[in-house]
Amino acid sequence: MASSYILASSLDAMAHLERRDHNGLQVKFNSSIEYIFTQPSGLFPSTDISILGEAEKRTFHGAPLILTYDGAHCVYRGSMVQRREQDGPAPIPVDVALKWVVGDERIARLRHEAEFYEKWLGPVCGIAVPRYYGFFIGTVENVTVACMALEWCEGLPIENVRELNRQRMLAATKLHEASVFHGQLLDPRHYIPMRDGSLRIVDFSVAKVHRCPGSVPLSLDNGSGDPRPAETCGELDVMESRFGVDAESYGRQLRWANGMYPELVRSFYYMY
C-alpha cells in the first residue's frame, strides 16, 4: 500500500510539472519568493515573471501586500519569459504589467476582462489595447489569487489637447471595429500613452460585445445636409461629443449647435 501511495504521489507530481511546463505561470518576488499559477485557457506557453522595481515595498511578511485584505488589487511591473519548444529560439524577456487581484468580485471581473482579450480583442492587441499574455489563477498563503499579464505600456503624456483627443477617437474606433463596447471611455485612467504617440485602452472589466452601427461627426449646421442615421453608436456618439469635436478648434460651437451645454451639466465629461 505504501509503495502504491508513493507511486501515485510521484505520478501526480510529474503530472503537475508537465502541466506547469506547458501553460503554467511562475511569479517570483524579490528574487526568492515564488508562486505557481495555472492557466485555465491553456492558450499560452509556460511563463515566468520576475517582479521588478518597488515590489518588495508592497509585500507583507514576504507575500504581496494585496493579501492583507479582501478585494484588493495591484499592478506589478515584471520581466516575462515564455518558454518555447526545446529546439526553438531562445526566449526574449518582455516587460509586462501583472494585474494581481483577490476577492470573488475582483476575480470575476478580471476573468471577464481576460475573456474579452481571448475572444474579441485579438485583432487590436498592440494597436488599440495592450498585447495579452494570459489569465492565471492560483493559491497564495491560502488565498485565491488571479492575475493577468499584459504588455507594459508607457510613454510621454500627449500635451497637445487636440492630438490627445484625436488619439482617443482613433483607439475607440478600433475598439468598436472589434465589436467591443468598453463602457468607461470617459475615464482618463483608461488611456495609456505609448512611445510612438498613440494610446492604449485598458480595463475591460465591464465591457460588452457590441454590434456597432457607427457614428457621424457633429455638424455646425444641424438643419441642412444629410440627416443623421436613425441608429448610431451611443459610446462613439459620446466620444465624438466629448473628445472628437475638441480635435478641432471650434468644439464649443459644435456642442452648442447640437444642443449640448457642458457648462450646465456637471457630469457631461464623466458619465454616459
Side-chain angles (χ1 to χ4, degrees):
M1 283 292 289
S3 60
S4 297
Y5 176 79
I6 293 172
L7 176 61
S9 299
S10 300
L11 291 174
D12 287 343
M14 290 175 63
H16 172 75
L17 288 174
E18 184 176 355
R19 288 194 299 272
R20 162 73 184 96
D21 287 342
H22 280 89
N23 56 20
L25 168 68
Q26 176 180 277
V27 180
K28 182 179 293 185
F29 284 83
N30 307 326
S31 302
S32 58
I33 305 166
E34 299 177 354
Y35 302 107
I36 303 298
F37 294 80
T38 59
Q39 182 186 175
S41 70
L43 294 176
F44 295 90
S46 179
T47 302
D48 296 334
I49 296 178
S50 297
I51 302 303
L52 305 172
E54 300 293 316
E56 63 184 73
K57 295 182 180 179
R58 287 182 281 170
T59 60
F60 180 73
H61 296 317
L65 182 61
I66 188 173
L67 298 182
T68 62
Y69 65 99
D70 185 56
H73 65 291
C74 188
V75 177
Y76 293 107
R77 183 173 185 171
S79 176
M80 180 191 76
V81 172
Q82 289 184 325
R83 299 183 184 180
R84 302 298 181 184
E85 298 296 332
Q86 186 173 2
D87 297 330
I92 299 175
V94 175
D95 278 5
V96 295
L98 187 69
K99 297 183 70 172
W100 176 288
V101 305
V102 300
D104 292 344
E105 181 178 349
R106 286 196 180 274
I107 289 175
R109 292 176 66 177
L110 192 65
R111 191 187 298 272
H112 175 82
E113 183 172 4
E115 182 178 351
F116 269 79
Y117 274 103
E118 292 176 4
K119 293 184 178 180
W120 300 97
L121 293 172
V124 293
C125 279
I127 300 172
V129 305
R131 292 180 175 87
Y132 170 74
Y133 300 110
F135 170 83
F136 308 88
I137 195 158
T139 302
V140 178
E141 306 289 338
N142 298 318
V143 175
T144 300
V145 176
C147 54
M148 183 169 65
L150 298 171
E151 169 189 17
W152 181 263
C153 299
E154 65 177 350
L156 295 175
I158 303 175
E159 297 182 357
N160 184 291
V161 174
R162 295 182 190 175
E163 177 59 18
L164 173 61
N165 288 319
R166 189 180 77 87
Q167 290 297 335
R168 284 170 169 166
M169 292 301 301
L170 287 173
T173 300
K174 291 291 184 184
L175 206 62
H176 280 252
E177 289 176 356
S179 302
V180 175
F181 183 103
H182 185 278
Q184 298 178 316
L185 288 181
L186 294 184
D187 189 335
R189 295 174 299 178
H190 294 152
Y191 300 90
I192 308 298
M194 300 296 288
R195 292 175 180 172
D196 64 359
S198 64
L199 295 174
R200 297 289 183 269
I201 295 175
V202 297
D203 192 350
F204 293 88
S205 58
V206 299
K208 299 182 292 186
V209 178
H210 174 57
R211 183 192 64 80
C212 185
S215 185
V216 294
L218 298 179
S219 171
L220 284 173
D221 188 359
N222 219 12
S224 63
D226 295 332
R228 293 179 65 86
E231 181 185 10
T232 59
C233 172
E235 186 162 69
L236 288 185
D237 286 347
V238 166
M239 292 293 292
E240 166 66 12
S241 64
R242 273 64 162 184
F243 302 127
V245 297
D246 284 334
E248 307 293 343
S249 60
Y250 46 85
R252 189 177 188 185
Q253 293 93 318
L254 275 171
R255 293 193 186 94
W256 286 2
N258 288 271
M260 300 176 184
Y261 306 101
E263 297 86 354
L264 304 179
V265 182
R266 296 184 63 182
S267 63
F268 185 79
Y269 288 102
Y270 306 102
M271 296 177 60
Y272 62 95

